[in-house]
C-alpha cells in the first residue's frame, strides 16, 4: 500500500518535475539500492519466477539493455520501487489500486502470469527511453498478457510526466499530468474522464466499449464516461484508509480548498497548487501523519485503532522523491532522494543519476536486524524512537532536518563544481560526483548511528528512573 504525489513542471517552484511515493508493506522488508549495468547482445526472457517473484510472468529481454537503477526487495531483488535509466526516463511503481468486483467478474486479474509490481521496473527501465514510451509499453503488456494485480505507475523524463492506472485484468488508462498541476493518489483509482482523440491520454483499445458491453457503464444513465466509476473499487474502505491521505495532500497544497475528508470520488483529479511545490514539500507530504490533529496515531501515544490511515506509517519500508531538472546534465539533473524505513523518522538521502557505485551497506539487509546494512541502521533508530514518540521523535526530526538543509547547500556547491569540471574533463566531473555522493550517504548512516546511541542513553535513564530498585535512598 502506498501514497503518490506528482508535480508537473510548471507546478514546481524551480520548473523541475517532482514525483514522490511511499512504499508500504512490512517494516521487516529491507531494501537495497542497485545499479544495473547496460548489456548488449541479450537473448531470452525476463522471468519473475526465476528470481523468486510472486508468479510466472515472462517477457522478452531487449537485445541491448540500458543502464538503470532500482531499489528492490532484499529477498528477490525485484519490486524495484523506482529508478532512472541512462536515457533519462524514470519511474516509480507501484501504487496499489483495486478494481471493482463487477470489473473483475468480467475481466479478472491474471494472477499466475500477468505483470505485477515485482516486474515493472526491471522490464521497463532497461528498454524505454521516454515517459510516454514507458506508459505505452506497460499498457501493451497489460493488454496482451494481463496484470496480476491492480496498480498505478508514474513515468517521468526531461519533457513530461505520465501516470498509468489499471482498471481490470486487461484494461488501463494513462494520462499526461498537465504541466501546471499536481496529481495525488492513495491506493485508489483516481482518473475519470477519457478522450480517445487526446494526445494527452492513452488507454486500452476498447476501454469504453468493453465497459458498455459488460454493464460497467451505461451512457444513457451514467452520463459522461468515468474510468474510476466504471472500473475501480470505491467503498467504505476508501473513506478512512484512502480518502484522508488524498485530502490532506490537497489541503496542504491548496489550503483554501474546502472538502470533506471522506468524499474521495469528488476530489479534483488535478489541481494547480496555490504555492508552487518544492522537493521539501514532497518530503513533508511523505512524512505526513496528521500531526497536530486528533487523527495523529503517534503524537498522543501509539494508537493502532486510529481509523484514518496516515501517509507515513511505521511499516513504510522506503519513501522516495524523484526530481528531474531538464536544464542540467542527466548525471546531476536527475536525483532520487531515498528515505529508508518510515519517512517521518528517516532522512532523505540524494542519489544522483551519475553515481557509479553504491556503498556495500546498501546491498545488505534481510528480514532480520543487523548492524551493517543501511536499512537496519535507520530502522533500528525508528523502532527505538517509537517507544516514546512524543519525547524522542523531535530529537530525530531536528537532527535530520539540519542534515538535509546542510546537504542541500552542499549539493548546490557540488553541482556548480561538477559543471565546471565537466567542461574540461568528464572523468574528473564523474569522480567529483561519486566522492560527494558517497560522502553524503556515509554521513547520513553515521548520523543515524549517533542518534541511536543518544536515544538509547535517554531510554536507559528513563527505565532506571522507572524501576530504580533502591533501598530507600541508597542503591546498595
Amino acid at each position: 500500500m502506498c501514497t503518490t504525489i506528482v508535480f508537473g513542471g510548471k507546478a514546481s517552484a524551480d520548473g523541475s518535475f517532482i514525483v514522490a511515493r511511499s512504499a508500504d508493506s512490512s517494516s521487516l522488508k529491507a531494501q537495497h539500492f542497485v545499479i544495473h549495468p547496460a548489456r548488449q547482445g541479450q537473448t531470452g526472457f525476463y522471468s519473475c519466477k526465476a528470481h523468486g517473484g510472486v508468479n510466472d510472468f515472462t517477457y522478452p529481454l531487449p537485445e541491448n539493455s540500458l543502464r538503470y537503477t532500482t531499489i528492490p526487495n532484499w529477498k528477490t531483488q525485484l519490486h524495484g520501487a523506482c529508478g532512472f535509466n541512462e536515457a533519462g526516463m524514470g519511474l516509480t511503481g507501484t501504487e496499489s489500486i483495486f478494481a471493482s468486483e463487477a470489473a473483475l467478474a468480467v475481466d479478472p486479474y491474471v494472477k499466475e502470469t500477468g505483470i505485477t509490481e515485482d516486474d515493472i521496473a526491471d522490464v521497463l527501465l532497461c528498454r524505454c527511453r521516454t515517459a510516454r514510451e514507458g506508459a505505452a509499453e506497460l499498457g501493451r503488456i497489460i493488454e496482451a498478457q494481463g496484470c496480476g494485480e491492480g496498480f498505478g505507475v508514474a513515468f517521468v523524463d526531461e519533457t513530461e510526466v505520465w501516470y498509468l492506472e489499471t482498471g481490470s485484468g486487461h484494461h488501463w488508462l494513462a494520462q499526461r499530468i498537465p504541466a501546471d498541476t499536481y496529481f495525488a493518489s492513495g491506493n485508489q483509482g483516481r482518473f475519470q474522464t477519457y478522450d480517445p482523440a487526446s494526445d494527452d491520454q492513452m488507454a486500452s483499445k476498447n476501454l469504453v466499449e468493453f465497459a458498455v458491453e459488460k454493464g460497467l457503464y451505461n451512457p444513457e444513465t451514467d452520463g459522461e464516461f468515468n474510468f474510476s466509476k466504471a472500473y475501480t473499487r470505491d467503498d467504505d474502505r476508501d473513506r478512512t484508509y484512502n480518502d484522508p491521505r488524498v485530502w490532506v495532500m490537497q489541503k496542504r497544497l491548496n489550503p483554501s480548498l474546502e472538502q470533506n475528508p471522506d468524499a474521495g470520488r469528488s476530489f479534483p483529479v488535478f489541481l494547480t497548487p496555490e504555492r508552487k511545490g518544492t522537493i521539501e514539500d514532497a518530503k513533508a507530504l511523505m512524512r505526513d501523519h496528521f500531526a497536530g490533529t486528533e487523527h495523529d496515531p503517534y503524537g498522543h501515544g501509539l494508537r493502532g485503532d486510529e481509523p484514518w490511515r496516515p501517509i507515513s506509517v511505521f511499516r513504510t519500508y522506503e519513501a522516495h522523491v524523484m526530481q528531474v531538472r531538464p536544464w542540467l546534465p542527466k548525471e546531476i539533473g536527475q536525483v532520487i532522494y531515498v528515505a529508508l524505513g518510515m519517512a517521518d523518522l528517516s532522512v532523505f538521502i540524494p542519489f544522483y543519476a551519475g553515481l557509479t557505485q553504491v556503498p556495500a551497506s546498501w546491498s545488505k539487509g534481510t528480514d532480520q536486524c543487523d548492524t551493517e546494512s543501511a536499512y537496519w541502521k535507520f530502522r533500528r533508530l525508528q523502532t527505538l524512537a517509537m517507544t516514546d514518540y512524543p519525547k524522542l521523535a523531535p530529537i530525530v526530526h531536528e537532527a535530520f532536518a539540519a542534515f538535509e538543509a546542510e546537504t542541500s547547500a552542499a549539493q548546490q556547491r557540488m553541482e556548480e563544481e561538477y559543471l565546471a569540471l565537466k567542461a574540461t574533463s568528464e572523468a574528473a566531473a564523474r569522480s567529483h560526483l561519486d566522492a560527494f555522493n558517497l560522502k553524503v550517504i556515509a554521513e547520513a548512516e553515521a548520523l543515524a548511528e549517533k542518534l541511536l546511541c543518544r536515544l538509547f542513553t535517554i531510554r536507559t535513564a528513563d527505565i532506571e528512573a522507572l524501576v530504580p530498585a533502591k533501598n530507600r535512598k541508597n542503591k546498595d
Side-chain angles (χ1 to χ4, degrees):
M1 303 298 180
C2 309
T3 308
T4 299
I5 184 80
V6 180
F7 290 89
K10 293 182 180 179
S12 71
D14 62 358
S16 65
F17 297 102
I18 300 173
V19 178
R21 186 173 66 88
S22 66
D24 317 319
S25 175
S26 168
S27 54
L28 299 175
K29 198 172 184 178
Q31 301 295 288
H32 298 175
F33 193 103
V34 179
I35 299 175
H36 304 262
R39 300 182 186 280
Q40 287 75 43
Q42 292 189 128
T43 59
F45 288 78
Y46 162 90
S47 168
C48 183
K49 186 176 182 179
H51 289 83
V54 296
N55 69 5
D56 199 17
F57 170 79
T58 62
Y59 202 66
L61 292 170
E63 180 180 357
N64 298 312
S65 172
L66 299 168
R67 175 192 184 274
Y68 66 98
T69 61
T70 58
I71 305 175
N73 181 300
W74 72 271
K75 192 171 186 178
T76 63
Q77 295 299 300
L78 298 178
H79 195 176
C82 70
F84 282 110
N85 66 24
E86 63 180 282
M89 188 198 83
L91 68 77
T92 178
T94 71
E95 178 80 30
S96 297
I97 59 178
F98 304 91
S100 67
E101 292 183 5
L104 291 178
V106 295
D107 184 24
Y109 294 133
V110 186
K111 293 186 178 181
E112 296 300 317
T113 58
I115 191 168
T116 71
E117 54 190 17
D118 266 11
D119 315 303
I120 290 170
D122 287 288
V123 167
L124 299 178
L125 284 170
C126 66
R127 58 169 32 91
C128 298
R129 307 185 72 87
T130 68
R132 183 185 292 265
E133 182 185 353
E137 182 74 8
L138 179 54
R140 283 191 289 270
I141 294 171
I142 293 169
E143 286 186 70
Q145 298 179 229
C147 54
E149 59 193 342
F151 49 72
V153 181
F155 301 87
V156 62
D157 60 28
E158 293 185 324
T159 62
E160 58 188 4
V161 56
W162 283 76
Y163 195 82
L164 179 148
E165 290 185 346
T166 58
S168 58
H170 296 84
H171 286 283
W172 58 280
L173 174 63
Q175 167 80 54
R176 182 168 66 175
I177 307 302
D180 62 345
T181 73
Y182 67 89
F183 170 78
S185 183
N187 295 135
Q188 56 188 184
R190 298 269 294 122
F191 287 161
Q192 297 182 13
T193 60
Y194 170 51
D195 178 5
S198 173
D199 192 47
D200 294 331
Q201 291 183 308
M202 297 182 283
S204 43
K205 293 182 178 63
N206 61 336
L207 179 70
V208 179
E209 294 80 2
F210 182 85
V212 173
E213 176 189 342
K214 300 300 182 180
L216 304 175
Y217 165 57
N218 186 332
E220 296 182 2
T221 59
D222 296 336
E224 185 179 20
F225 175 75
N226 184 308
F227 175 75
S228 176
K229 186 176 180 180
Y231 281 96
T232 63
R233 190 179 77 190
D234 181 44
D235 59 26
D236 62 311
R237 287 168 285 191
D238 291 271
R239 304 295 78 83
T240 56
Y241 195 82
N242 301 332
D243 291 353
R245 284 180 284 154
V246 178
W247 173 82
V248 76
M249 287 189 283
Q250 293 190 343
K251 187 65 176 176
R252 290 186 67 158
L253 295 170
N254 291 78
S256 67
L257 185 64
E258 296 295 334
Q259 302 181 114
N260 290 326
D262 60 356
R265 180 78 78 184
S266 65
F267 293 163
V269 178
F270 304 108
L271 277 170
T272 299
E274 294 177 17
R275 176 183 56 79
K276 292 188 176 184
T278 66
I279 288 292
E280 299 310 314
D281 289 327
K283 293 177 184 177
L285 291 173
M286 293 299 99
R287 287 171 164 144
D288 191 273
H289 52 88
F290 308 117
T293 77
E294 61 180 340
H295 293 288
D296 182 359
Y298 316 131
H300 311 291
L302 302 188
R303 293 163 43 235
D305 60 348
E306 166 53 47
W308 281 20
R309 191 273 210 201
I311 294 172
S312 185
V313 292
F314 185 69
R315 60 185 175 83
T316 299
Y317 50 83
E318 64 88 17
H320 52 264
V321 179
M322 307 176 71
Q323 184 179 34
V324 176
R325 294 171 292 174
W327 60 90
L328 292 172
K330 292 183 180 66
E331 292 79 6
I332 59 171
Q334 298 183 338
V335 190
I336 303 174
Y337 293 85
V338 183
L340 290 178
M342 180 186 188
D344 175 60
L345 292 171
S346 191
V347 61
F348 282 92
I349 306 170
F351 282 73
Y352 282 90
L355 182 65
T356 66
Q357 54 185 303
V358 180
S361 59
W362 288 75
S363 61
K364 298 178 179 179
T366 68
D367 59 352
Q368 301 295 311
C369 181
D370 66 67
T371 59
E372 295 182 355
S373 69
Y375 179 84
W376 281 106
K377 288 178 183 179
F378 293 97
R379 179 58 78 185
R380 284 185 294 138
L381 172 65
Q382 293 156 19
T383 300
L384 183 59
M386 290 293 273
T387 64
D388 189 346
Y389 185 93
K391 182 176 184 177
L392 303 179
I395 298 172
V396 177
H397 293 162
E398 182 180 6
F400 282 159
F403 179 87
E404 289 181 6
E406 293 167 4
T407 300
S408 179
Q411 285 179 259
Q412 294 181 37
R413 295 191 295 271
M414 182 279 293
E415 290 170 5
E416 293 173 358
E417 293 162 356
Y418 175 91
L419 292 173
L421 288 169
K422 184 179 174 66
T424 57
S425 172
E426 290 276 358
R430 183 168 56 249
S431 178
H432 186 61
L433 173 59
D434 272 348
F436 172 83
N437 210 154
L438 293 172
K439 179 174 180 288
V440 168
I441 296 169
E443 289 173 344
E445 292 183 30
L447 177 56
E449 293 287 279
K450 181 179 180 180
L451 285 169
L452 181 69
C453 291
R454 182 178 175 189
L455 265 58
F456 258 114
T457 302
I458 294 171
R459 293 302 281 138
T460 300
D462 290 343
I463 294 170
E464 179 176 309
L466 186 65
V467 189
K470 294 180 180 179
N471 182 2
R472 296 185 181 179
K473 294 184 178 181
N474 298 318
K475 302 177 185 177
D476 52 16

